[in-house]
Amino acid sequence: MGNELLVFLVMVIVQFAFAGMIIISKLVMDEGMNPFVQSAYRPIFATISIAPFAFFFERKIRPKMTRSVLFQIFLCSIFGITINQYVCFIGIKNSTPTIVSAIDNLVPAFTFIIAIPLGVEKLGLKSIAGQAKFVGTIVCVGGAMLLSLYHGKVVIGQLGFHWKYAESTGKDVNSAHSNFFLGPFLLIMTSLTYAIWLIIQTRVNEKYAAPYKSITLMCLMASVESIIIGFCVVPKLSEWTLNPIRAISVVYNGAVGMSLTFFLSSWCIEKKGPLYVSMFNPLLLVISAFLSWILLREKLYLGVVVGSIIVVAGLYGFLWGKKMETSAEDIIEVNKEKEQPIKSVDLELQLPNSKQISSNFAKAS
């Protein structure tokens, strides 16, 4: 019971950490920080913070680094960090934290879509589990499209209480809706690139049994990539200066938003499995919407509310189908294990060896 509660609390902390990253990133970019600068700093601090874990936990683990594994880690750095964070931060700048958290629930659906042609997942429309996964995926994508294309009237207005620093930026978080198509579209691309990273990272974990080392190397590669791209897009050194709130943002995003959440999520996956961890995705939507409403005076629109509900419903439909499929596979494996020793005993009884025959004959005589 104590262990169950601990895993639950850790996953809640992870979602609060993600929500904090979204809120503070939105704040500093509204204040004027360039998304490309934000994206360049994040993997640097992530590398610094995760490297000690690789050293202390995996210093005795030395798996062979092949060219194939190195190339896959490079692809992970491209899709999982560099491209992912560019479209993510630009999407956050042109959207709201609530929309960011809602579209994040598309990750399982996109992962499923990509995994089918690669043979990692099976569609299985003849089974109820396969039908649930398929319908859940369609519902998720449909909810995201509604959220992106339909604005609607205000459902919950601004709260009188808000963060004074957010007011000093001189921007209203709801003004991002003036470009409400670009923001959600880029955030959908964020979920897509993250799903691609999940597929590639799974292959890396299979071939290179040192996850912290691979993530450290991935963050290091992404740091170099992001710095080169960042300076090409934003060559002015004045744009790279960090005031206190920007420094807090980049350190938090790297050390907490990436390294700590990876460490805690990996621990929870080890304890309860990936399905359990995925079930907490909708909690990020609730936390982000609440914090953004309180701190940033975000308005909630009908399209965002209805689209978010549809996305979450589709997510749970998909996860329910996945759970049924996993349970069925486990039952098949257990039955196979039970049948194997029974068959071996029967064969021994039916085909006794010559020593047993002679021994039994001697006893009978």
Side-chain angles (χ1 to χ4, degrees), residues 18-334:
F18 277 131
M21 184 189 73
I22 295 170
I23 296 292
I24 197 169
S25 298
K26 174 66 175 175
L27 187 66
V28 296
M29 285 188 290
D30 282 350
E31 183 247 357
M33 189 175 189
N34 192 290
F36 285 88
V37 176
Q38 175 89 304
S39 300
Y41 276 117
R42 186 181 181 222
I44 295 174
F45 286 101
T47 305
I48 295 171
S49 57
I50 203 171
F53 291 103
F55 176 77
F56 288 108
F57 292 134
E58 297 177 345
R59 57 183 174 180
K60 295 182 180 180
I61 302 175
R62 298 176 180 176
K64 184 180 179 181
M65 175 63 73
T66 63
R67 291 182 180 179
S68 174
V69 172
L70 188 62
F71 179 69
Q72 288 176 354
I73 293 175
F74 171 72
L75 291 179
C76 284
S77 72
I78 291 288
F79 288 101
I81 300 180
T82 305
I83 297 177
N84 179 269
Q85 66 182 1
Y86 282 143
V87 292
C88 178
F89 285 129
I90 298 173
I92 290 174
K93 187 175 182 179
N94 291 277
S95 187
T96 67
T98 302
I99 294 177
V100 175
S101 306
I103 294 181
D104 182 67
N105 290 289
L106 284 174
V107 172
F110 279 137
T111 306
F112 176 62
I113 292 172
I114 297 170
I116 290 175
L118 295 177
V120 179
E121 288 279 353
K122 294 181 180 179
L123 190 57
L125 289 178
K126 294 182 179 180
S127 65
I128 297 177
Q131 294 169 6
K133 290 194 300 179
F134 179 76
V135 173
T137 301
I138 298 299
V139 171
C140 271
V141 175
M145 292 298 102
L146 176 65
L147 188 150
S148 304
L149 301 175
Y150 177 64
H151 199 180
K153 62 181 182 179
V154 176
V155 177
I156 301 177
Q158 291 179 335
L159 186 67
F161 169 80
H162 60 283
W163 193 5
K164 288 185 177 180
Y165 185 85
E167 186 180 33
S168 68
T169 62
K171 293 189 178 182
D172 183 0
V173 67
N174 300 282
S175 65
H177 285 287
S178 60
N179 204 350
F180 72 96
F181 176 77
L182 176 63
F185 174 76
L186 290 175
L187 294 171
I188 290 173
M189 292 299 101
T190 302
S191 297
L192 178 61
T193 54
Y194 188 79
I196 294 173
W197 172 79
L198 283 175
I199 299 295
I200 302 174
Q201 185 63 37
T202 302
R203 301 291 177 88
V204 173
N205 291 341
E206 291 174 356
K207 297 180 180 180
Y208 193 77
Y212 291 111
K213 286 183 179 179
S214 65
I215 293 295
T216 301
L217 186 57
M218 182 180 71
C219 291
L220 182 61
M221 290 180 177
S223 299
V224 176
E225 297 159 6
S226 300
I227 289 173
I228 294 173
I229 296 172
F231 272 109
C232 289
V233 178
V234 189
K236 292 183 179 180
L237 291 177
S238 58
E239 294 283 339
W240 292 77
T241 57
L242 298 176
N243 59 25
I245 190 65
R246 291 187 183 188
I248 292 172
S249 174
V250 296
V251 173
Y252 179 91
N253 288 347
V256 179
M258 186 178 289
S259 297
L260 180 63
T261 53
F262 170 78
F263 176 78
L264 295 179
S265 298
S266 299
W267 181 79
C268 291
I269 289 173
E270 183 181 349
K271 295 293 182 182
K272 301 291 291 183
L275 185 64
Y276 181 86
V277 174
S278 299
M279 295 290 285
F280 283 82
N281 272 19
L283 181 61
L284 175 62
L285 173 59
V286 177
I287 296 171
S288 296
F290 182 72
L291 292 179
S292 185
W293 180 58
I294 290 179
L295 300 177
L296 305 182
R297 302 180 70 185
E298 178 186 349
K299 296 176 183 177
L300 291 181
Y301 293 85
L302 180 62
V304 175
V305 174
V306 175
S308 300
I309 293 172
I310 293 175
V311 168
V312 172
L315 170 68
Y316 276 115
F318 173 85
L319 293 176
W320 178 73
K322 184 64 179 175
K323 185 177 182 180
M324 286 184 61
E325 185 181 68
T326 304
S327 299
E329 290 175 354
D330 291 341
I331 291 173
I332 292 173
E333 289 296 326
V334 170

